[in-house]
Amino acid sequence: RVWCFGDSAGLNFNTPGNVPAPFKANHLSKGSCVSICDGNSNLLFYAYTQAGLIGQTTVVIDSSYNIMNNGTNIIGRGWYNELCIIPNPHNADLFYLFTTGITGVPQGLYYSIIDKSLNNGLGAITQKNIFVGSTDFCDGMIGIRHGNGRDWWLILHHWNNSNTFEKYLITPVGVSNAMLQPIGINFDADLVDFAFSYQTNKFLSVTLNTEIQVLDFDRCTG
């Protein structure tokens, strides 16, 4: 329960009464930010994209607030919802950092592998910018645990007047092929935000053009 976001901002919820305590983190971002903690709410690492720079701008920061080994030159520009961390269901030390290239080259969905067992527990990037698919996505994605309590779903959406969701299942075997489902309204905006209800059976999407919809969701079937 440690959030790192924005321009050096951080909030720590590991305080009496869960009152968030602000702190200064070691990053400068006006784009995407994502962080992950362990089961005891200790920060594991976080990542961010950098606005105003050309190329592969994503940076990964370890729990000591330093750049993780091999943690630069990762795909992702300075937009808003281009990053998602998903634990590897087979190995508690491994994590997927999914990134999307929305503008410029390359575009599409990619992932990098983070191994927290390396560098005395601070972690390192062991594989970087692995290509998944070249779909023209909206600037937004979300992950949610599968109904079996082990695997994960990664959900994105096509843009340019499309109503198609693109879903991936992450299992101990790896990342599945893309599963497409046309449903709901067409997205005319390239910026979107997703959220699940507390019970995880409702899925909300909101686009930059205030196109809002709520859909039913089944964590077992995706």
Side-chain angles (χ1 to χ4, degrees), residues 116-131:
K116 278 289 294 178
S117 69
L118 302 177
N119 193 26
N120 296 317
L122 292 175
I125 309 291
T126 58
Q127 298 181 70
K128 188 183 295 186
N129 298 330
I130 300 170
F131 175 75

Side-chain angles (χ1 to χ4, degrees), residues 51-66:
L53 298 182
I54 297 173
Q56 301 171 177
T57 75
T58 301
V59 177
V60 180
I61 304 293
D62 63 29
S63 58
S64 67
Y65 301 101
N66 295 308

Side-chain angles (χ1 to χ4, degrees), residues 53-110:
L53 298 182
I54 297 173
Q56 301 171 177
T57 75
T58 301
V59 177
V60 180
I61 304 293
D62 63 29
S63 58
S64 67
Y65 301 101
N66 295 308
I67 295 176
M68 186 176 286
N69 284 359
N70 200 27
T72 59
N73 297 317
I74 297 171
I75 288 169
R77 299 284 292 275
W79 301 108
Y80 305 108
N81 296 295
E82 297 189 348
L83 305 177
C84 185
I85 300 169
I86 290 183
N88 185 308
H90 180 65
N91 188 325
D93 287 323
L94 300 181
F95 297 84
Y96 294 93
L97 174 62
F98 287 94
T99 65
T100 52
I102 302 299
T103 59
V105 178
Q107 289 182 301
L109 177 65
Y110 299 78

Side-chain angles (χ1 to χ4, degrees), residues 165 183-185 187 193-207 210-217:
F165 285 92
I183 187 173
I185 62 176
F187 284 10
D193 201 6
F194 298 132
F196 285 97
S197 65
Y198 180 78
Q199 297 83 3
T200 70
N201 63 339
K202 297 293 182 181
F203 178 85
L204 170 72
S205 67
V206 182
T207 74
T210 63
E211 301 155 333
I212 303 172
Q213 66 178 353
V214 179
L215 302 172
D216 295 330
F217 183 77

Side-chain angles (χ1 to χ4, degrees), residues 36 85-96 98 113-114 144-146 148-154 168-176:
I36 188 168
I85 300 169
I86 290 183
N88 185 308
H90 180 65
N91 188 325
D93 287 323
L94 300 181
F95 297 84
Y96 294 93
F98 287 94
I113 300 293
I114 295 166
I144 187 170
R145 193 185 293 273
H146 190 283
N148 63 17
R150 181 197 66 187
D151 303 332
W152 287 78
W153 295 103
L154 179 71
Y168 294 86
L169 181 61
I170 294 90
T171 71
V173 176
V175 180
S176 74

